[in-house]
Amino acid sequence: MIFAVLSGFVLALLAPTLYRLSARWSGAVFSVFPAILAFYFLSHMEAVAGGAAYRVTYPWMPAMGLELSFNLDGLGLLFALAITVVGTLIITYAGSYLHGHPSLPRFYLFILMFMASMLGVVLSDNLIALFIFWELTSITSYFLIGFEHDKDTARAAALQALLVTGGGGLALMAGVLLMGQIGGTFEISALAADNAALQGHRLYPLVLALVLAGAFTKSAQVPFHFWLPSAMEAPTPVSAYLHSATMVKAGVYLLARLSPVLGGSDIWLYVVTGFGAATMLASAYQALYQTDLKKILAYSTVSVLGTLTMLIGLGDKLAIKAAMVFLMAHVLYKAALFLVAGSIDHETGTRDIRHLGGLRKTMPIICAGAGVGALSMAGLPPFFGFVGKEALYEAVTHGNLPVTVVAVLTSMLLFAVAWLAGIRPFSGAETHTPKHPHDPPWTMWLGPVFLGCLSVLFGFVPVLPESLLSAAASSVLGKEVHMHLALWHGFNALLVLSLVTFGLGALVYWQLETIKRVTEFALPAVRRGPSHWYALWLRFLNWSAVGQTRVLQNGYLRLYLATIMTVTAVLAWYTFLTYGDVAVVAMDWGDIGVHEWVVGLVALVGAIATVRAQTFLRAVMALGVVGYSVALIFVLYGAPDLAMTQFLIETLSLILFVFVFYYMPPFKRFSSRVVIARHAVIGTAVGAFFTLLVLVATSVQWHPTISTYFSENSYLMGQGRNIVNVILVDFRGFDTLGEITVLAVAGIGVYSLIRLRLGKGRGS
Amino acid sequence: MNSLILRTASRFLLILLFQFSIFLLLRGHNDPGGGFVGGLVLAAALTLYAIAYDVRSMRRFLPCRAQTIIAWGLLAAAVSGIFSMFKGQPFMTGQWGHFDFLGLDLHLGTPLLFDIGVYLTVVGVVLIVIISLAEEVEDD
C-alpha cells in the first residue's frame, strides 16, 4: 500500500518526460495509472467490508514518533476509490480539454502529485504524516489554481486559496502536536482507542478549535468559504477534481476520521453542526445569484460540504450513515456536472448561463450526462441523489427541528440550483455563442456519462454500494453498522417532506427573479463580509511587512553591522561578566618567539592601515595583510588546512573586491566624528570581548576536550588521517552539506542581483 | 589586462594549478587538503586566467554554465549520503570499499564523492560571482 501511495509522486516526477513520448494520447496514457490504483483498491473491497482493516507501517523517523503507517478501512477505501476513479476520468478528460496547452506536462505533474498526496491524507494513520500530505494537497492546489499563471485573477485566487488553507494548516499542525502531546501517540487508531484522556484534558477546547480551523478552511466552511468560488479560476478538470470531488472533502474527511477521537462532546455537537448548517444554507442561497456555470456549481459544492459537516457534527448512527451516502452521491453528480460545464465552456466559448440555451440539439451526449447529474443533484428519484437526500432527511428528522428546517430549505434551493446549472443551458431556444457547439470527443464525455451511469445504477440498485458505505460508516462510528438503502421506503413522512421540497424548489426556480429581488438585502452580509475581511487582513499584513522592512532592512550595510555587533557585544559581555571568571586569565609572555611578535605586529599595522586608508584599494590591501598574517599564525601553530584555506580566501576576496570597486562611487568620508566614535566604541567592545574569550578559553578547561574523541576515532570510524577533513566530510558532514547549500544560494543570489540591477536579463 | 608575461604564465599555471587542485582534493582525507581548498585553488587559477585574458576566454574551459556546476556539486554531495540508506543505515553514514584498479589497490568511499561535491560547489560559486561581476565590467 506504501507503494500505491508513493508511486504517484514518482510518476509525477517522470510526467514531463513521459508526456514527450505520448503527447497525442497523453490523457489516456496517464489515466492508466489511477485506473490501476482504483482496481487495486477495489480488490480490497471484500476484506474491508468484512470488517478487516489492512495496515502497513514503515518507520520513517521513529525517534520523533513519525511513522508512515497506512490504514485501509471503510472510510479510507471510500475516499481512495473516489480519488482514483474520478482521477482516471479527470485525467482522460484533461488530455483533451487542455490539448495543445504549452504547460500540459506541468499539469500532469501537479495533478498526479496531488492525487498521491490526497491518497496519503485519506490512508495515513499517523497524524504527522497526514499533516504533511494535507499540506502537499494545499500546495499542489495552489499550483493548479494558478495554472494559467499569466492571468492576474488566477494568481490572486491561487494565493487566496493557499493563504486560507495554509493558515488553517498551521492551526491544524498546532492541534496535531497538542493531540500527540496529550495522547502520547500520533497514531489516530491509538488515540481513538483512548479518547477519554484527550476529551477530559483541560486543553481539549483548544485542540478542538485548532483542528476545526484546519478542517473548516480546507472544506470551505463559513466564514472561510470564499476561497472556493474564487478557485474556479483553475482549469475545469482541476475544479471538478480538487475543488469538488476530493481536496475540499479533506476537511470533512478529517472531521469524520477524528470524530472517534474528538467527537461526542457538547462543543463538538454545537460547533460542528452549527457551522455546517450555516454553511449549507448561506452558500445554497448565494448559488442562486451566480451566472457563471462554474461559480453556481462551486457554491452548491460549498453547500454540500456544509451538509456533510453538519451531519458529522450530529454524529449519531443515522447522521454518519447519511453523510457517507450523501458524500458518494455528491462525488458522482458534482464531478459530472463540472465536467459538463467544462465541455460547454470548451465547445461554446462561454460559461455564462444567460448566454446559453438549447444545447440539447447540438450536444446530445453531454446533455444526457448533465441531465442525469442535475436530476441526481436535485434529489429526484430514481437517481442516487434521491437516496442520499432521503438518508439526510431521515437523519435530521431524528435530530431536531432547526436542523430539519435548514436541511429542507437547502435542498429546496439546491433543487433550483441544479435546474439552473444542469438543465437550463440545454433547454429553450438555441442561442448565439462565441463558438459553434457540438459534442466533444469521447475523452470529454466519458466522465459525465460514466458517473451518470453510476448515479442511475446505484439509484435503482442501492444494494451495490451498501457494503462499502456500511464499512465507511462503521469506521467513523467505531462500531459495526449495517445500512439498508432502498429507493422506495413506502409512503411515509420522509417522502412527503421530499415532495414538499420538490414543490418548493420548482417554485423557487419558476419565480427565481422575484425571489432574488426580495431576498437581495441579505446578500451583502453573506457574500461581501468574509472576503472583505480577508482583503483587509491581507492589506494590514502587507502594510506591517513594508513598515518593519523599512525599519529593519534600511539598506545601510554599516547599520546592519553596527546592529549585529552591538547586540553581540551587549549579550556576550553581560553573560561573561555575570557567569565568567575573569581572574583565571594568565599569560606567559616569555613563551612568544620573535617571529610571532613580528607576525602579530604586521597584523596590527595592517588593521590600523585599513581604518586609516584613503582609497578603496589601499583599504582592501591592508585588510589582506591582516588576513595573511592570520594565515601565518595558523601555519606557525600547525594548522595547514586552515592556513591554506585562509590564504586562498584572502586572495580571492581581494580579487572580488577589485571587481566590485568598478561599481563603487569615489571614496568619500560621510561619517561625522560622532558616528566614527560610536563605531570605534562598538568595534572595541567586540574586539576586546573576543580577545578576552580566547585568553580565557585557552587557559581554562571546563569540559573534556572533544578533539581527543575526533583524533581517536577519525581513522577508526572515518577512515581518514586528516582530522579536519574527516570532521568536515564525515562526522559533521550534514553541516557541511548545509553550508555548501547556503554557499550555492549565496552565489545564485549574487548572480541574480547583479543581473536584475543591470536589467539585462541575458543568460550567461 | 595586457601583459605578455602574465598571459604566458597563467596558461601554464592554469594547468599546474588544476592538477594541484585535484591532488589536494584526493589527498584531503589523509593529509592537508580537501574539496574546499581544492575548489578554491581551481577557482583562483581560473580567475587568474580571466584577469590575464578575459572572462570569455576563461569560460571556454568550463564544460557548462557555472550554475550547472553548482547543481552537480550539490547533487553529488547529497547523493553520497543516500548509499548508506540502502543498507538501512542513517543518511550519510560513510561507505568504504577496496577497489582493484590496474593493479592498484584503491580505498574509496562515499566521503570522497561528498568532497567532490564540495569541490564542484565551491568552484561554481566563486566562478558565478566572478563571471557576473567581471562580464559587466568588460561589456561597459
Side-chain angles (χ1 to χ4, degrees):
Chain A
M1 190 152 57
I2 290 182
F3 184 74
V5 175
L6 300 182
S7 55
F9 290 110
V10 179
L11 188 69
L13 290 178
L14 299 176
T17 320
L18 281 176
Y19 174 78
R20 248 169 259 156
L21 301 175
S22 63
R24 181 93 180 79
W25 292 107
S26 58
V29 169
F30 279 106
S31 64
V32 170
F33 172 70
I36 292 172
L37 284 185
F39 281 114
Y40 167 79
F41 286 117
L42 271 175
S43 72
H44 287 83
M45 175 91 95
E46 208 166 327
V48 170
Y54 180 49
R55 185 184 168 86
V56 273
T57 306
Y58 172 81
W60 187 359
M61 274 187 246
M64 299 178 70
L66 181 51
E67 289 187 351
L68 277 183
S69 48
F70 295 110
N71 205 359
L72 187 67
D73 60 356
L75 184 65
L77 184 60
L78 175 62
F79 272 90
L81 281 175
I83 294 163
T84 46
V85 172
V86 179
T88 309
L89 300 171
I90 293 289
I91 292 179
T92 315
Y93 180 92
S96 304
Y97 183 81
L98 292 170
H99 183 70
H101 195 290
S103 307
L104 189 55
R106 202 185 308 158
F107 173 83
Y108 289 124
L109 191 158
F110 290 134
I111 202 114
L112 287 169
M113 201 184 270
F114 165 77
M115 193 175 72
S117 320
M118 196 62 212
L119 282 175
V121 169
V122 299
L123 295 175
S124 289
D125 193 36
N126 187 293
L127 278 171
I128 303 268
L130 185 148
F131 171 74
I132 293 171
F133 287 120
W134 175 281
E135 291 295 83
L136 277 173
T137 62
S138 289
I139 293 168
T140 39
S141 152
Y142 169 74
F143 284 122
L144 286 167
I145 298 173
F147 184 65
E148 307 273 352
H149 57 82
D150 42 3
K151 270 164 56 187
D152 278 348
T153 45
R155 288 202 305 271
L159 188 64
Q160 191 183 51
L162 183 69
L163 289 178
V164 174
T165 56
L170 285 179
L172 176 65
M173 182 176 74
V176 161
L177 292 177
L178 278 176
M179 270 197 276
Q181 285 285 314
I182 298 169
T185 173
F186 285 111
E187 301 294 311
I188 299 171
S189 43
L191 284 169
D194 180 27
N195 63 358
L198 195 58
Q199 299 211 1
H201 200 270
R202 68 191 161 80
L203 286 179
Y204 169 71
L206 178 66
V207 173
L208 187 61
L210 290 168
V211 171
L212 290 186
F216 284 178
T217 48
K218 196 79 163 183
S219 278
Q221 299 297 296
V222 166
F224 307 112
H225 62 283
F226 55 90
W227 72 263
L228 187 55
S230 314
M232 293 299 123
E233 286 292 340
T236 306
V238 174
S239 309
Y241 192 36
L242 273 72
H243 306 121
S244 167
T246 57
M247 189 191 86
V248 289
K249 291 212 173 74
V252 173
Y253 166 81
L254 189 73
L255 292 178
R257 177 59 85 202
L258 290 181
S259 65
V261 182
L262 297 170
S265 65
D266 275 354
I267 8 179
W268 170 279
L269 176 66
Y270 290 118
V271 174
V272 179
T273 312
F275 275 94
T279 307
M280 64 194 275
L281 189 58
S283 2
Y285 163 65
Q286 284 178 79
L288 290 180
Y289 289 85
Q290 308 302 319
T291 51
D292 179 347
L293 212 45
K294 278 179 75 182
K295 288 257 163 101
I296 299 175
L297 293 173
Y299 276 106
S300 71
T301 303
V302 178
S303 175
V304 169
L305 293 171
T307 311
L308 294 172
T309 306
M310 183 203 72
L311 286 170
I312 292 170
L314 287 174
D316 57 15
K317 215 163 117 183
L318 281 175
I320 297 298
K321 281 182 184 175
M324 296 304 128
V325 180
F326 206 72
L327 188 142
M328 186 184 234
H330 178 251
V331 168
L332 296 180
Y333 71 72
K334 192 52 72 60
L337 284 176
F338 262 111
L339 294 181
V340 165
S343 301
I344 293 176
D345 187 17
H346 198 259
E347 297 303 325
T348 65
T350 178
R351 298 198 302 252
D352 194 324
I353 51 166
R354 289 167 302 186
H355 301 153
L356 291 168
L359 291 175
R360 67 184 179 282
K361 289 171 198 149
T362 41
M363 301 173 78
I365 305 177
I366 289 295
C367 175
V372 172
L375 296 177
S376 182
M377 177 176 166
L380 284 167
F383 304 102
F384 196 55
F386 174 73
V387 180
K389 193 169 52 54
E390 292 290 284
L392 167 69
Y393 279 177
E394 197 181 353
V396 291
T397 45
H398 279 77
N400 48 27
L401 190 62
V403 178
T404 312
V405 172
V406 169
V408 172
L409 282 177
T410 307
S411 302
M412 164 194 95
L413 291 171
L414 286 186
F415 182 92
V417 169
W419 227 261
L420 214 55
I423 308 289
R424 192 175 141 165
F426 298 95
S427 57
E430 274 184 66
T431 53
H432 181 73
T433 51
K435 280 197 257 178
H436 186 69
H438 53 83
D439 259 330
W442 68 271
T443 45
M444 283 176 73
W445 56 252
L446 179 71
V449 168
F450 181 79
L451 293 170
C453 288
L454 284 183
S455 277
V456 176
L457 183 66
F458 289 175
F460 274 117
V461 197
V463 196
L464 284 178
E466 225 170 49
S467 59
L468 175 62
L469 295 170
S470 304
S474 304
S475 44
V476 179
L477 290 161
K479 56 176 185 266
E480 194 88 355
V481 284
H482 292 286
M483 48 175 98
H484 300 287
L485 301 172
L487 198 59
W488 177 251
H489 280 281
F491 193 82
N492 54 15
L494 294 179
L495 192 63
V496 174
L497 210 53
S498 283
L499 291 175
V500 170
T501 311
F502 299 146
L504 287 173
L507 188 70
V508 170
Y509 181 69
W510 178 45
Q511 288 298 334
L512 188 60
E513 294 310 315
T514 325
I515 288 173
K516 269 159 81 170
R517 230 183 3 260
V518 172
T519 57
E520 211 164 19
F521 68 93
L523 195 60
V526 283
R527 188 166 62 184
R528 299 296 310 156
S531 57
H532 184 61
W533 299 333
Y534 166 81
L536 273 184
W537 172 241
L538 202 61
R539 212 181 307 157
F540 166 75
L541 275 185
N542 277 333
W543 171 81
S544 64
V546 168
Q548 63 98 2
T549 307
R550 243 183 229 143
V551 175
L552 295 177
Q553 310 281 325
N554 44 44
Y556 292 105
L557 189 58
R558 57 178 182 278
L559 288 187
Y560 295 163
L561 283 175
T563 313
I564 294 168
M565 295 278 178
T566 314
V567 172
T568 312
V570 168
L571 290 180
W573 271 114
Y574 172 77
T575 316
F576 190 74
L577 292 176
T578 322
Y579 304 104
D581 193 355
V582 193
V584 293
V585 176
M587 278 279 298
D588 189 359
W589 296 86
D591 257 6
I592 305 173
V594 181
H595 55 292
E596 286 159 345
W597 275 111
V598 174
V599 175
L601 273 178
V602 172
L604 196 62
V605 172
I608 294 171
T610 311
V611 179
R612 300 206 50 84
Q614 296 296 326
T615 64
F616 285 126
L617 195 57
R618 208 174 287 170
V620 168
M621 298 293 250
L623 199 60
V625 170
V626 179
Y628 285 132
S629 310
V630 173
L632 273 178
I633 292 174
F634 288 148
V635 175
L636 293 179
Y637 285 88
D641 277 286
L642 283 179
M644 248 190 314
T645 314
Q646 177 81 13
F647 271 119
L648 283 159
I649 288 287
E650 284 302 329
T651 315
L652 278 169
S653 21
L654 198 69
I655 296 171
L656 283 182
F657 268 123
V658 173
F659 279 121
V660 170
F661 288 157
Y662 183 81
Y663 300 101
M664 303 273 267
F667 193 88
K668 275 190 193 143
R669 280 202 184 279
F670 293 107
S671 312
S672 65
R673 284 189 172 281
V674 183
V675 174
I676 292 174
R678 195 173 68 206
H679 289 170
V681 169
I682 296 171
T684 315
V686 175
F689 173 75
F690 277 100
T691 313
L692 204 61
L693 189 68
V694 170
L695 289 178
V696 172
T698 47
S699 60
V700 208
Q701 185 91 59
W702 280 298
H703 301 290
T705 167
I706 53 164
S707 53
T708 14
Y709 170 82
F710 283 133
S711 52
E712 275 166 8
N713 289 301
S714 110
Y715 192 72
L716 295 174
M717 289 163 71
Q719 316 233 0
R721 279 186 296 274
N722 180 0
I723 302 173
V724 178
N725 190 268
V726 173
I727 292 175
L728 280 177
V729 301
D730 201 324
F731 287 125
R732 294 281 178 268
F734 208 39
D735 288 357
T736 313
L737 186 60
E739 281 153 16
I740 57 173
T741 312
V742 172
L743 197 66
V745 171
I748 291 163
V750 169
Y751 171 80
S752 30
L753 278 178
I754 292 176
R755 288 287 140 137
L756 267 180
R757 198 178 66 88
L758 298 168
K760 292 193 174 160
R762 286 169 314 158
S764 87
Chain B
M1 202 181 286
N2 202 357
S3 152
L4 187 61
I5 296 174
L6 185 61
R7 285 193 170 185
T8 317
S10 69
R11 293 170 74 166
F12 292 104
L13 279 175
L14 180 61
I15 297 162
L16 282 174
L17 286 172
F18 177 54
Q19 290 169 345
F20 182 56
S21 77
I22 298 281
F23 167 72
L24 281 176
L25 163 70
L26 293 180
R27 82 199 282 254
H29 216 58
N30 292 318
D31 300 288
F36 194 81
V37 179
L40 285 176
V41 168
L42 179 58
L46 286 166
T47 311
L48 181 69
Y49 190 88
I51 292 175
Y53 290 84
D54 55 21
V55 173
R56 214 150 281 142
S57 331
M58 181 268 277
R59 277 180 38 199
R60 283 188 295 122
F61 294 107
L62 305 183
C64 51
R65 306 199 304 171
Q67 291 92 310
T68 320
I69 300 180
I70 298 179
W72 279 110
L74 285 181
L75 186 70
V79 164
S80 77
I82 292 176
F83 290 103
S84 57
M85 295 174 81
F86 291 115
K87 290 170 81 177
Q89 293 166 334
F91 182 62
M92 288 198 78
T93 311
Q95 303 296 319
W96 291 89
H98 287 269
F99 299 91
D100 188 47
F101 178 72
L102 301 174
L104 282 168
D105 178 30
L106 291 179
H107 185 203
L108 296 176
T110 50
L112 178 64
L113 182 61
F114 184 82
D115 232 4
I116 292 173
V118 175
Y119 177 88
L120 290 175
T121 312
V122 169
V123 172
V125 169
V126 176
L127 288 182
I128 201 173
V129 176
I130 299 268
I131 289 172
S132 339
L133 284 170
E135 275 208 331
E136 300 304 329
V137 177
E138 284 172 10
D139 285 354
D140 289 342

